[in-house]
């Protein structure tokens, strides 16, 4: 193929919207682009080439042929570009994925419809919902629907003639109450279709119809004094209410919007998509796209929005983004909210993107670190807790007391995922009377970090408090009082369910029980507990010995404390010579004390 001569071709290009295609020496399409003005856009590749990035200069050097297609509008150009990229997969284009990798929920089109999962859309089978980028969410939704409604799971052909002929018998699902037996004509079709209508509404994100139905059934059963049935309907209503509560993140008046956010660097773009209906996130996906050229961010985001809306069959009339779209889609307005519930949605989307990017970077760092388990665990903990820095230095606090006596607080320190025992500390509360865990935590945190500030010592990368929201709140108040709140990440761990609490967040984080990061947190908590219990026992033992010694003639509290400091235990006191005792008590007192000690 002959050398491409832009000087002879560029002047002839039209100034209309369209799609252009670049070919290389072998006649292969290497890039497809769209333009509002074909002449200006194509010309931009061949002017000021020194200002272009290396990839763009490489592309230009390989162009041997240009073809273009004129269309009516920039929107039409977007559609054609999208189709051609999928068809030819040029090496300099961002490759678009199809929707065959994600599962759908299919509500079958048959007598007594059923729910099934499919990866390919076949509208002759029934109505499709999805796709679901998160299969766990899809399975949880399916499980809930089967708990709410007695839907059949068999693939029998339940035509009236087959049922009336008695071809089928009920299965185990009928006997355990999961199905009402439509295969033997035991289920009313009208009632079953009422269930299916509600299932369809829930899959669309509309919960109110089903909730109203359950409440009506509960009230009707109560009127008949069928309280067991009323309780069953109430449990169904609560199950749906809880499922919706977990997924409702903003005002339910936000009916149907698509949320997209994107951040990028030189080589990669990171994108999050959330499908929101009635304040509930029905779909969410975060992914990365490898940049091939110096793409315009608005154009890149617009292309990806079109691809994802097509993939998820979204007809939302509002698209919320953090970057203005380069083209307005027909029937959908683009908004960039600065406040309110829509801004909260956008912030949530951006949070997902930034976390995804950080997780990718940390994963790469972990791979580069090879088999270093300590580094891997710290990176995992950093990701799970959304920390800004690696938690190389962690301090964990625990309070110990027995019925309010001999209170001791312990602090253990881990550095690079390993115990640093020389940095362990114990604290005896000075301002707290009685068993007050919260006040004790406030005092100990205040004393520890006030001292570190005074000594200009290294502060930890993470503070862990053994306890739930109450202990964490007290620790946060202490950090606020000394001006460190917000400078050191702090969490609380509640032992019963291993819940991780964050400041100013009522909802706990549940880390996978098998996760190395949770095991590290548990190790810190258990070590602080062990160290605290040991210190508490030592103190209790010391106080007990002191109280025993005080019963002897001539021995007061101060003298008893001196003896214990000098000799350690009662056994060592008994073994001590009169000369050794005289050094603490004096000669005459030591002789008297020695005789009393033999009877102790």
């Amino acid at each position: 193929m002959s050398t491409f001569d832009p000087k002879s071709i560029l002047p002839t290009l039209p100034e209309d919207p369209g799609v252009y295609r670049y070919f290389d020496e072998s006649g292969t399409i290497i890039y497809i682009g769209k333009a509002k003005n074909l002449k200006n856009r194509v010309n931009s590749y061949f002017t000021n080439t020194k200002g272009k990035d290396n990839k763009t200069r490489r592309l230009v050097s390989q162009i041997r042929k240009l073809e273009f297609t004129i269309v009516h509008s920039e929107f039409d150009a977007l559609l054609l570009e999208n189709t051609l990229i999928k068809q030819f997969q040029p090496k300099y284009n961002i490759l678009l994925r199809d929707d065959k990798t994600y599962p759908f929920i299919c509500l079958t089109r048959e007598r007594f419809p059923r729910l099934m999962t499919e990866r390919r859309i076949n509208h002759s089978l029934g109505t499709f919902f999805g796709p679901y980028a998160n299969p766990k969410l899809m399975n949880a939704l399916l499980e809930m629907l089967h708990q709410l409604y007695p839907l059949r799971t068999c693939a029998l052909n339940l035509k009236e003639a087959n049922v009336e002929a008695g071809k089928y018998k009920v299965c185990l699902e009928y006997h355990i109450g999961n199905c009402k037996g439509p295969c033997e004509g035991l289920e009313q079709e009208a009632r079953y279709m009422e269930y299916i209508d509600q299932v369809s509404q829930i899959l669309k994100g509309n919960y109110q119809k089903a909730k109203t139905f359950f409440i009506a059934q509960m009230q009707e059963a109560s009127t008949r004094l069928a309280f067991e049935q009323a309780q069953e309907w109430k449990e169904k209503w609560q199950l749906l209410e809880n499922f919706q509560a977990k997924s409702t993140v903003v005002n339910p008046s936000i009916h149907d919007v698509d949320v997209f956010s994107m951040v990028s660097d030189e080589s990669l773009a990171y994108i999050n998509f959330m499908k929101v209906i009635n304040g509930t996130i029905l779909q969410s996906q975060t992914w990365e796209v490898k940049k091939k050229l110096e793409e315009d961010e608005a154009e890149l985001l617009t292309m990806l929005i079109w691809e994802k809306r097509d993939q998820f069959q979204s007809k939302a009339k509002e698209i919320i983004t953090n970057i203005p779209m380069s083209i307005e889609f027909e029937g959908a307005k683009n908004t960039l909210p600065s406040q309110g519930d829509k801004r909260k949605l956008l912030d949530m989307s951006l949070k997902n993107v930034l976390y995804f990017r950080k997780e990718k970077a940390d994963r790469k760092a972990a791979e580069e670190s090879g088999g270093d388990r300590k580094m891997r665990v710290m990176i995992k903990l950093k990701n799970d807790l959304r920390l800004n820095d690696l938690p190389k230095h962690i301090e964990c606090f625990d309070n110990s007391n027995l019925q309010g006596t001999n209170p001791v607080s312990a602090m253990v320190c881990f550095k690079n995922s390993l115990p640093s025992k020389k940095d362990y500390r114990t604290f005896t509360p000075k301002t707290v009377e009685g068993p007050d865990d919260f006040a004790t935590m406030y005092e100990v945190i205040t004393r520890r970090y006030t001292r570190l500030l005074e000594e200009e010592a290294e502060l930890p990368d993470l503070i862990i408090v053994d306890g739930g929201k109450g202990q964490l709140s007290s620790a946060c108040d202490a950090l606020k009082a000394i001006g460190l709140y917000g400078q050191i990440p702090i969490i609380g761990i509640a032992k019963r369910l291993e819940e991780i609490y964050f400041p100013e967040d009522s909802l706990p984080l549940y880390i996978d029980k098998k996760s190395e990061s949770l095991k590290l947190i548990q190790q810190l908590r258990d070590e602080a507990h062990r160290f605290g219990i040991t210190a508490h026992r030592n103190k209790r033992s010391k106080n007990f010995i002191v109280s025993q010694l005080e019963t002897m003639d001539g021995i007061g509290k101060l003298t008893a404390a001196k003896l214990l400091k000098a000799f350690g235990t009662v056994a060592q006191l008994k073994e001590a010579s009169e000369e050794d005792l005289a050094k603490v008590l004096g000669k005459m007192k030591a002789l008297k004390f020695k005789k009393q000690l033999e009877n102790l």
Side-chain angles (χ1 to χ4, degrees):
M1 189 174 288
S2 60
T3 303
F4 179 70
D5 182 14
K7 292 182 179 179
S8 62
I9 296 176
L10 294 179
T12 66
L13 292 175
E15 297 185 7
D16 299 294
V19 173
Y20 54 92
R21 300 174 291 283
Y22 293 144
F23 296 78
D24 65 8
E25 185 71 37
S26 64
T28 302
I29 296 177
I30 57 175
Y31 186 74
I32 297 172
K34 67 177 182 305
K36 186 176 182 179
N37 184 311
L38 280 168
K39 186 172 187 176
N40 291 344
R41 186 54 176 271
V42 174
N43 187 58
S44 68
Y45 285 90
F46 301 95
T47 57
N48 190 26
T49 55
K50 291 184 179 180
K52 302 288 189 298
D53 62 21
N54 291 333
K55 290 181 180 178
T56 304
R57 289 201 296 269
R58 195 180 307 124
L59 164 67
V60 172
S61 70
Q62 294 176 12
I63 297 172
R64 296 296 179 268
K65 181 183 175 183
L66 164 67
E67 289 184 356
F68 59 87
T69 303
I70 298 172
V71 295
H72 292 296
S73 66
E74 194 175 2
F75 183 73
D76 291 334
L78 173 67
L79 300 186
L80 179 57
E81 178 196 38
N82 188 280
T83 301
L84 292 176
I85 289 174
K86 282 183 178 179
Q87 180 181 351
F88 294 104
Q89 301 282 291
K91 69 177 182 179
Y92 283 104
N93 279 100
I94 291 172
L95 302 183
L96 304 175
R97 304 175 186 271
D98 60 34
D99 56 4
K100 294 178 183 178
T101 56
Y102 299 119
F104 294 81
I105 293 177
C106 175
L107 189 57
T108 60
R109 188 178 290 114
E110 59 187 322
R111 190 163 181 257
F112 294 102
R114 55 202 167 95
L115 291 172
M116 51 193 293
T117 59
E118 292 285 335
R119 289 193 176 268
R120 295 177 182 271
I121 294 179
N122 182 354
H123 290 296
S124 64
L125 283 178
T127 305
F128 283 75
F129 301 88
Y132 291 88
N134 185 348
K136 288 184 180 179
L137 174 63
M138 181 190 72
N139 292 329
L141 182 57
L142 284 171
E143 182 181 352
M144 181 196 69
L145 291 172
H146 281 290
Q147 287 179 307
L148 294 176
Y149 302 101
L151 305 177
R152 73 181 180 109
T153 56
C154 64
L156 300 177
N157 184 352
L158 299 187
K159 290 183 178 179
E160 283 190 62
N162 293 340
V163 176
E164 290 174 1
K167 282 189 173 184
Y168 312 116
K169 296 293 182 182
V170 294
C171 65
L172 179 62
E173 290 292 303
Y174 171 80
H175 293 294
I176 62 177
N178 291 340
C179 177
K180 298 295 185 183
C183 56
E184 286 193 24
L186 303 176
E187 172 75 290
Q188 295 179 8
E189 187 172 359
R191 179 77 158 182
Y192 191 92
M193 292 309 294
E194 188 175 4
Y195 295 154
I196 290 299
D197 180 51
Q198 292 174 33
V199 167
S200 178
Q201 291 299 314
I202 291 173
L203 288 171
K204 292 176 182 176
N206 303 319
Y207 299 91
Q208 193 56 47
K209 188 171 184 177
K211 287 178 4 184
T212 302
F213 172 78
F214 293 143
I215 291 172
Q217 294 298 311
M218 179 176 63
Q219 292 172 342
E220 189 269 335
S222 297
T223 303
R224 292 188 287 106
L225 304 182
F227 297 118
E228 287 187 8
Q229 290 183 17
Q231 179 63 23
E232 289 176 3
W233 288 113
K234 181 182 178 181
E235 288 173 359
K236 290 180 184 289
W237 174 82
Q238 287 177 329
L239 178 64
L240 185 59
E241 185 79 6
N242 291 337
F243 185 88
Q244 184 183 14
K246 287 179 181 178
S247 54
T248 300
V249 293
V250 290
N251 194 325
S253 64
I254 299 179
H255 294 300
D256 188 3
V257 299
D258 290 342
V259 184
F260 287 89
S261 62
M262 185 178 83
V263 295
S264 61
D265 50 37
E266 291 183 1
S267 59
L268 294 167
Y270 305 88
I271 309 95
N272 173 261
F273 162 62
M274 297 193 307
K275 177 70 178 172
V276 181
I277 294 181
N278 297 332
T280 299
I281 298 175
L282 291 188
Q283 303 282 357
S284 180
Q285 184 185 10
T286 309
W287 72 103
E288 68 177 19
V289 170
K290 188 174 182 180
K291 291 183 175 181
K292 297 298 182 71
L293 299 174
E294 200 173 1
E295 290 90 353
D296 177 79
E297 285 202 340
E299 290 191 0
L300 176 58
L301 178 60
T302 303
M303 180 181 69
L304 294 169
I305 289 174
W306 173 260
E307 166 68 12
K308 198 54 62 176
R309 277 170 60 91
D310 179 56
Q311 184 179 26
F312 282 81
Q313 302 177 332
S314 176
K315 304 295 181 185
K317 294 183 179 179
E318 183 176 6
I319 304 171
I320 297 173
T321 62
N322 66 319
I323 298 170
M325 293 168 57
S326 61
I327 303 171
E328 286 281 345
F329 292 173
E330 294 178 6
K333 67 174 182 177
N334 177 211
T335 56
L336 287 80
S338 58
Q339 58 186 4
D341 288 326
K342 292 180 180 179
R343 180 66 209 187
K344 289 179 183 177
L345 275 176
L346 183 57
D347 288 341
M348 185 182 299
S349 179
L350 278 166
K351 187 176 181 180
N352 277 278
V353 166
L354 295 172
Y355 174 70
F356 180 81
R357 181 172 69 172
K358 188 180 295 183
E359 186 179 36
K360 286 280 186 181
D362 290 340
R363 192 178 302 164
K364 183 179 179 182
E367 290 172 356
E368 291 174 352
S369 69
D372 189 343
R373 179 187 171 277
K374 293 180 290 184
M375 177 63 72
R376 186 180 70 242
V377 173
M378 287 189 290
I379 290 172
K380 179 64 176 169
L381 183 61
K382 174 176 177 282
N383 292 336
D384 285 342
L385 299 183
R386 298 355 183 221
L387 304 176
N388 292 325
D389 301 305
L390 275 180
K392 295 179 180 179
H393 178 177
I394 307 173
E395 295 186 351
C396 181
F397 293 81
D398 178 54
N399 296 329
S400 296
N401 63 70
L402 180 64
Q403 298 177 344
T405 64
N406 304 305
V408 174
S409 291
M411 185 278 290
V412 299
C413 175
F414 276 34
K415 292 184 176 179
N416 294 319
S417 303
L418 296 174
S420 178
K421 295 193 175 184
K422 65 182 179 64
D423 295 309
Y424 285 17
R425 297 289 185 273
T426 57
F427 301 86
T428 299
K430 297 178 180 179
T431 62
V432 182
E433 294 183 4
D436 190 336
D437 235 15
F438 301 155
T440 301
M441 187 62 72
Y442 180 92
E443 179 189 324
V444 169
I445 294 288
T446 302
R447 286 169 57 187
R448 169 63 178 167
Y449 296 111
T450 299
R451 179 160 186 169
L452 290 188
L453 288 174
E454 289 173 352
E455 295 176 353
E456 298 183 354
E458 177 190 82
L459 293 172
D461 301 309
L462 174 66
I463 300 171
I464 300 175
V465 172
D466 181 19
K469 291 183 281 187
Q471 287 87 346
L472 178 62
S473 178
S474 296
C476 289
D477 289 342
L479 292 177
K480 289 175 183 176
I482 57 179
L484 283 180
Y485 185 70
Q487 296 183 39
I488 309 174
I490 182 170
I491 61 169
I493 176 170
K495 190 170 186 178
R496 189 170 67 89
L497 294 174
E498 306 293 37
E499 301 163 317
I500 306 297
Y501 284 95
F502 294 88
E504 302 175 17
D505 190 345
S506 60
L507 298 176
L509 170 71
Y510 295 94
I511 300 177
D512 187 343
K513 294 293 186 289
K514 297 179 181 179
S515 170
E516 288 183 312
S517 61
L518 179 61
K519 288 178 181 178
L520 177 60
I521 294 173
Q522 290 170 328
Q523 186 184 354
L524 276 147
R525 188 265 316 278
D526 294 344
E527 177 68 356
H529 187 65
R530 181 202 63 76
F531 186 57
I533 288 292
T534 301
H536 172 72
R537 286 173 179 165
N538 291 340
K539 184 178 181 183
R540 192 174 64 194
S541 176
K542 177 181 176 181
N543 288 344
F544 178 71
I545 294 171
V546 168
S547 64
Q548 279 187 310
L549 295 176
E550 284 182 61
T551 62
M552 299 181 181
D553 292 340
I555 304 298
K557 192 165 188 174
L558 288 175
T559 304
K562 286 181 181 178
L563 286 167
L564 191 62
K565 185 177 181 181
F567 297 97
T569 65
V570 172
Q572 288 175 323
L573 275 169
K574 287 182 176 182
E575 293 174 0
S577 63
E578 287 185 25
E579 290 77 12
D580 290 335
L581 291 173
K583 292 177 182 178
V584 179
L585 299 174
K587 189 173 182 180
M588 294 301 294
K589 205 171 185 180
L591 180 62
K592 184 179 180 181
F593 176 73
K594 184 72 173 174
K595 290 179 180 179
Q596 294 184 78
L597 196 61
E598 291 173 356
N599 299 321
L600 187 65

